Amino acid sequence: MGERGYRYTGEPPPPRFNMAAYCLGLRPGAPRDPDRVGLVVVSDAHAPATAAQRWTYAELDDSVRAAAAGLLALGLQPGERVMLRLGNSAAYPLLFFGAVAAGLVAVPTSAQLTAEEALLLLADSGARAVVMSDDLGIEVPDGVMRLGPERLAAWQGGADRAGYSDTDAEDPAFLVYTSGTTGRPKGVLHAHRSAWGRRPMYQGWYGIGPDDVMLHAGALNWTYTLGVGLTDPWATGATGVVYNGGKDPTVWPVLMQAHRASLFAAVPGVFRQLLRYTDVAEYDLSALRHGLVAGEALSPTLYRHWRQATGTELYEALGMSECSTFVSSSPSVPVRPGCPGRPQPGRCVVVLPADGDAAAATTPLPAGASGALAVHRTDPGLMLGYWNRPQEEGEVFRGEWFVGGDLAHLDEDGYVHFHGRADDVMNAMGYRVSPLEVEAVLAKHPLVADVAVAELPIREGVSVVAAFVVVPDPDDPDCFDAAALMAHAAEHLAGYKRPREIIFVDALPRTANGKVRRRELAGTSWAPLTSPSSGSPQSLGHVKRVAVEADSSE
């Protein structure tokens, strides 16, 4: 059958389409009430709900168009990039959607990035302007405009308002960076149509409508929050609630009760901490219909504990930066613990051979056969491509199929069973992290003679980034300085990329051609020791293990 007969079957996006207008425009027939609150930002979870910052849809529309007018007044031209380097504040989404409304390309970045990492993204994106807060300031090169978040307040207080740009659905809207297999972050370029491509998620994962209140546990500068917490609630006329106070796993039931949240979205670690540190029975969660989880695999044990504690379902989704989520359970797709669900309505998702010749590599496999999970390139949620990376782009497209590196099989009922990654990319607290990027940083430290990084399971459903280090002199106890390695990583890497465990080893397991066998590292049971152990060069005999507390709320 080959590729014939396969394609996205959902409603196609209109040819002229602006993502910001779709989410916030007050056009006739829009699903949103101008007087309804569209955004709530909570800084103090224990203050009265009325103390939170609130924006109606009319105010969101006005602020976004003010931001668009202000950016265009700087002389920025359609298609030029605007990088955002801000903390967890409401200015972030308003400037993000303001750039998109103006026909510019927003480049959202995490506040966790070091200055070194942020400068790399600035250079790679070719952004003409960067909006950054003082505490995250970087020295921008000549020709790049540096703006502070206070510009937004000035634009809001002014009289200029731009209309939503008459963009083509295929025009670029935002550029998000993700870890690649080369060890260098790569930009995933999305079109305006990507917002339309999220429509299968409305009922295929959320079951969302205009009366819903979506509480998202992520930061406002995270693409998971921008998408699930804001883009989709706004496109359906619902309310998005985001917390930007201090890290505290006990705040979530407080916020659910105070703001009558009907949907709660987070990574599995947040749900795990919530259940560990709070008794949800003490709160009124009667408005909550169900929870939503993505970013990491949901363990059957965590699912069972959530059901027992709340009496509500927890619906999982599987996705990637290149296509958001495309597989999920939902109110209409019953949960099967240990399985993320089925392809969402309209999506064309198949399993292709993991290897093979050109003809066989594009022929979908039958139910039960394991291979590479693939999405048809007609899906409007799929990326335009990788920014200035044509070679890597060619590696993920097989004819009409996008193959993102996940291994899986489909059962007879169409449920997807995930079998891990075909490459070495790790999943750290919902972020994709390349081990090569982390290794390159650690290898520069004088106490590292050799190093490999892998995702290390520490208990069911929980994995951390671990660094396996060979020291230059195993007879020198000063070489085993994990604190120095942690400090070096903190200087050069974002928090979510840093190793949570340092494991000193005699040697790294390698193939005959010298490639590290990461799965062997990750699959080994590591017991803490305090003195060197002997063994052959391929032995994996380890010296000692040093861990730091993982924080899945980042």
Side-chain angles (χ1 to χ4, degrees):
M1 183 173 179
E3 298 179 42
R4 296 180 180 177
Y6 292 98
R7 64 178 296 107
Y8 178 81
T9 58
E11 183 182 0
R16 308 301 297 179
F17 182 78
N18 183 279
M19 173 180 168
Y22 173 67
C23 294
L24 294 169
L26 300 179
R27 64 192 182 279
R32 62 200 64 88
D33 178 352
D35 296 324
R36 178 181 171 87
V37 173
L39 174 62
V40 179
V41 178
V42 184
S43 299
D44 183 352
H46 300 285
T50 53
Q53 296 175 302
R54 295 168 180 269
W55 285 263
T56 65
Y57 274 106
E59 291 167 337
L60 289 171
D61 167 76
D62 182 76
S63 292
V64 164
R65 291 191 298 108
L71 290 168
L72 292 173
L74 297 172
L76 294 168
Q77 299 299 310
E80 290 186 323
R81 275 75 61 208
V82 178
M83 181 169 146
L84 302 177
R85 181 165 166 77
L86 302 168
N88 190 19
S89 72
Y92 207 107
L94 297 178
L95 287 162
F96 174 88
F97 281 94
V100 173
L104 304 169
V105 178
V107 185
T109 65
S110 171
Q112 296 187 59
L113 296 180
T114 64
E116 178 183 336
E117 292 171 307
L119 283 169
L120 286 173
L121 301 194
L122 179 61
D124 188 81
S125 67
R128 278 212 51 212
V130 54
V131 187
M132 70 180 89
S133 49
D134 290 340
D135 59 325
L136 295 172
I138 54 177
E139 292 296 326
V140 301
D142 293 341
V144 177
M145 290 180 276
R146 173 174 178 163
L147 312 172
E150 68 278 359
R151 286 289 189 105
L152 176 61
W155 293 334
Q156 289 171 314
D160 292 339
R161 300 293 184 268
Y164 291 99
S165 180
D166 182 24
T167 47
D168 190 282
E170 295 292 325
D171 286 342
F174 63 96
L175 177 64
V176 57
Y177 279 84
T178 183
S179 287
T181 55
T182 63
R184 187 164 57 100
K186 59 187 175 185
V188 178
L189 186 63
H190 275 287
H192 285 267
R193 60 168 162 76
S194 65
W196 187 275
R198 302 178 66 88
R199 290 166 69 92
M201 298 161 62
Y202 299 171
Q203 301 308 318
W205 182 21
Y206 313 136
I208 194 170
D211 295 328
D212 276 305
V213 175
M214 169 80 81
L215 170 63
H216 198 290
L220 282 156
N221 53 30
W222 191 14
T223 50
Y224 181 19
T225 312
L226 287 171
V228 173
L230 300 180
T231 297
D232 299 332
W234 288 351
T236 54
T239 298
V241 180
V242 182
Y243 171 67
N244 68 350
K247 292 180 181 178
D248 181 356
T250 69
V251 303
W252 305 117
V254 176
L255 293 171
M256 288 183 229
Q257 174 179 284
H259 297 276
R260 303 295 294 166
S262 55
L263 307 171
F264 175 56
V267 295
V270 170
F271 284 95
R272 189 177 297 111
Q273 291 179 346
L274 184 160
L275 294 175
R276 180 184 303 168
Y277 296 113
T278 65
D279 180 0
V280 296
E282 297 178 356
Y283 300 89
D284 177 8
L285 305 186
S286 57
L288 184 70
R289 297 209 319 275
H290 48 258
L292 303 162
V293 63
E296 297 173 300
L298 171 63
S299 74
T301 299
L302 178 57
Y303 169 74
R304 184 176 66 253
H305 288 169
W306 173 261
R307 285 284 310 273
Q308 291 172 346
T310 68
T312 69
E313 283 288 353
L314 185 54
Y315 297 122
E316 183 180 3
L318 173 68
M320 61 190 72
S321 299
E322 293 87 345
C323 195
S324 192
T325 77
F326 53 92
V327 170
S328 54
S329 54
S330 71
S332 59
V333 178
V335 174
R336 292 188 179 178
C339 171
R342 291 197 299 235
Q344 293 161 358
R347 309 276 194 204
C348 183
V349 179
V350 300
V351 173
L352 301 178
D355 306 297
D357 58 41
T362 58
T363 302
L365 297 173
S370 298
L373 196 62
V375 180
H376 201 267
R377 70 188 312 161
T378 53
D379 195 309
L382 193 61
M383 67 174 183
L384 286 168
Y386 293 127
W387 180 253
N388 293 334
R389 302 283 189 91
Q391 181 177 352
E392 289 189 52
E393 197 171 307
E395 293 171 357
V396 297
F397 282 103
R398 296 189 199 170
E400 293 300 302
W401 298 104
F402 169 77
V403 182
D406 289 333
L407 299 175
H409 79 267
L410 292 167
D411 64 23
E412 295 289 347
D413 296 322
Y415 279 80
V416 174
H417 297 259
F418 182 59
H419 298 309
R421 297 281 302 177
D423 53 34
D424 292 325
V425 174
M426 305 174 293
N427 191 317
M429 298 174 289
Y431 296 89
R432 288 169 64 183
V433 177
S434 167
L436 299 178
E437 183 181 0
V438 183
E439 288 167 0
V441 167
L442 293 176
K444 295 177 181 178
H445 197 282
L447 293 181
V448 176
D450 200 2
V451 62
V453 172
E455 188 176 348
L456 181 69
I458 56 175
R459 58 181 180 273
E460 183 190 21
V462 181
S463 297
V464 297
V465 175
F468 299 83
V469 175
V470 178
V471 299
D473 184 359
D475 294 323
D476 182 358
D478 291 338
C479 283
F480 302 100
D481 189 348
L485 298 182
M486 293 289 191
H488 179 72
E491 183 180 354
H492 299 283
L493 293 169
Y496 61 88
K497 300 178 187 177
R498 299 169 199 162
R500 299 291 177 177
E501 301 232 6
I502 300 288
I503 300 173
F504 293 103
V505 299
D506 296 330
L508 300 175
R510 296 184 182 273
T511 63
N513 63 6
K515 184 177 181 181
V516 174
R517 299 198 297 267
R518 297 184 197 281
R519 286 182 174 81
E520 188 169 331
L521 287 171
T524 304
S525 177
W526 298 98
L529 298 180
T530 56
S531 60
S533 61
S534 61
S536 68
Q538 298 297 316
S539 71
L540 278 186
H542 57 290
V543 183
K544 55 184 170 182
R545 168 179 176 173
V546 181
V548 296
E549 181 67 22
D551 181 359
S552 61
S553 65
E554 290 184 353

